[in-house]
Amino acid sequence: MFLFFPFYNFFKSNINIKRWFGQHGNNKDMRVSLISPEGKEVILVSNKCEQQNFNCGFDDASDENVKCPLNNGKVYKPQQLLEAFNGDELEGTWIFQIADQKAGNGGRLEGLQIEFCSNQVLDNPYIVRNEKLSIGWNSSPVISSGR
């Protein structure tokens, strides 16, 4: 799965895999990793748990190392820490890679939630146009940009 982030000069301070879930015949056959736009790879879990299906998360701050089963909704400390990406730019294509290392069992990724945190300081928002919009009771006026 490829994820593209068009953010310029945003630097990552923390990444968490909030949840990934799906089906596979034998989780022990899988090697799951996250690869940055710079090509840096962090292995989240590899060759663990002879059971089917997966539903869990990964966070460096978790107190639990990866253990079976992987389909219990818990959040584990990844096999390699995601802090390896600290300070890297967010912009670019990130790859969430699931490699099936043994033929015979198939599977599919059904969902993925990734949290990218940045310590970027943004300018406060400001009002560009502040006009009162009057809407009468039970009316349905069309709002347009006037173009």
Side-chain angles (χ1 to χ4, degrees), residues 86-117:
N86 286 359
D88 290 358
E89 257 193 85
L90 282 176
E91 181 189 3
T93 301
W94 289 76
I95 300 169
F96 185 79
Q97 184 177 65
I98 302 173
D100 190 339
Q101 299 180 312
K102 187 175 179 184
N105 289 323
R108 70 175 180 240
L109 178 65
E110 295 175 350
L112 173 66
Q113 298 170 350
I114 301 182
E115 176 181 66
F116 287 89
C117 301

Side-chain angles (χ1 to χ4, degrees), residues 45-116:
V45 62
S46 182
N47 304 108
K48 290 269 189 186
C49 304
E50 288 204 43
Q51 54 46 231
Q52 296 181 351
N53 306 330
F54 47 93
N55 177 12
C56 63
F58 299 101
D59 186 332
D60 289 354
S62 176
D63 292 331
E64 289 192 62
N65 290 325
V66 176
K67 60 184 172 185
C68 302
L70 292 178
N71 58 5
N72 58 13
K74 289 188 176 184
V75 176
Y76 297 112
K77 185 177 296 231
Q79 283 181 240
Q80 294 180 340
L81 296 180
L82 290 159
E83 72 182 14
F85 297 125
N86 286 359
D88 290 358
E89 257 193 85
L90 282 176
E91 181 189 3
T93 301
W94 289 76
I95 300 169
F96 185 79
Q97 184 177 65
I98 302 173
D100 190 339
Q101 299 180 312
K102 187 175 179 184
N105 289 323
R108 70 175 180 240
L109 178 65
E110 295 175 350
L112 173 66
Q113 298 170 350
I114 301 182
E115 176 181 66
F116 287 89

